[in-house]
Amino acid sequence: MQQQAGNAVVRLGGIELTFLVDETQGSDDLVIFEFLVQPGARVPEPHDHRNVDEFVYGLEGTLTSTVNGEARELKAGESLMIPRGVKHHHANLHDVPAKALVTLNPGSIGKRYFEEVREAMSDGPPDRARMIEIMARYELIVD
């Protein structure tokens, strides 16, 4: 099943997510997207998923993933499993774009979540309370 690229992409500042499988295709089981992070891009604050496991596979550049306070450089061909309930954060601390393939299982945090975050950011700097409310609806937990 293939989507048109224009419909599958969500841009959030220096972050671009290209959805390959998501809830708009009727999948409740998986969400899969390419995660492109520009150098120094603003990324979501550290959080955990109450009911979703996250698998990250490096495609290009170096993505710095911090899991339970421990930073790990994820390069092309390397992978990282983040079980539900484990606090994590991703950033690009390098001079070139970083790209990873991300799988979320089950697929409850999909394209619509990121579209809501983009809408919350459309009027300038996001209101932290509003962002936390959106995250909570999708069972993402922040401190």
Side-chain angles (χ1 to χ4, degrees):
M1 188 180 276
Q2 198 170 18
Q3 287 183 322
Q4 291 188 357
N7 294 335
V9 177
V10 176
R11 289 180 183 82
L12 300 163
I15 297 172
E16 182 175 291
L17 299 101
T18 302
F19 288 86
L20 307 173
V21 176
D22 71 355
E23 76 280 8
T24 65
Q25 298 171 316
S27 174
D28 294 329
D29 297 328
L30 286 176
V31 168
I32 302 173
F33 58 88
E34 288 183 354
F35 183 49
L36 178 65
V37 183
Q38 296 297 328
R42 286 190 58 179
V43 294
E45 57 187 288
H47 64 279
D48 64 89
H49 310 151
R50 180 166 294 154
N51 295 310
V52 175
D53 297 316
E54 181 170 341
F55 177 78
V56 185
Y57 180 81
L59 296 173
E60 298 173 12
T62 303
L63 187 67
T64 302
S65 297
T66 302
V67 179
N68 277 340
E70 183 178 327
R72 175 176 172 196
E73 300 276 297
L74 190 67
K75 297 178 180 163
E78 297 178 341
S79 62
L80 176 64
M81 178 66 190
I82 306 167
R84 61 192 73 191
V86 174
K87 186 153 308 285
H88 62 282
H89 177 258
H90 305 292
N92 182 353
L93 306 177
H94 300 276
D95 295 333
V96 298
K99 184 189 282 188
L101 186 67
V102 177
T103 301
L104 302 174
N105 181 23
S108 58
I109 306 168
K111 183 179 174 198
R112 184 65 197 134
Y113 163 74
F114 292 99
E115 289 171 336
E116 287 187 43
V117 169
R118 180 183 61 205
E119 290 164 12
M121 296 171 56
S122 67
D123 296 331
D127 175 337
R128 187 171 192 274
R130 183 172 176 199
M131 295 299 290
I132 289 173
E133 182 273 324
I134 293 168
M135 293 175 86
R137 275 192 287 110
Y138 289 87
E139 298 186 323
L140 280 81
I141 317 307
V142 295
D143 290 334

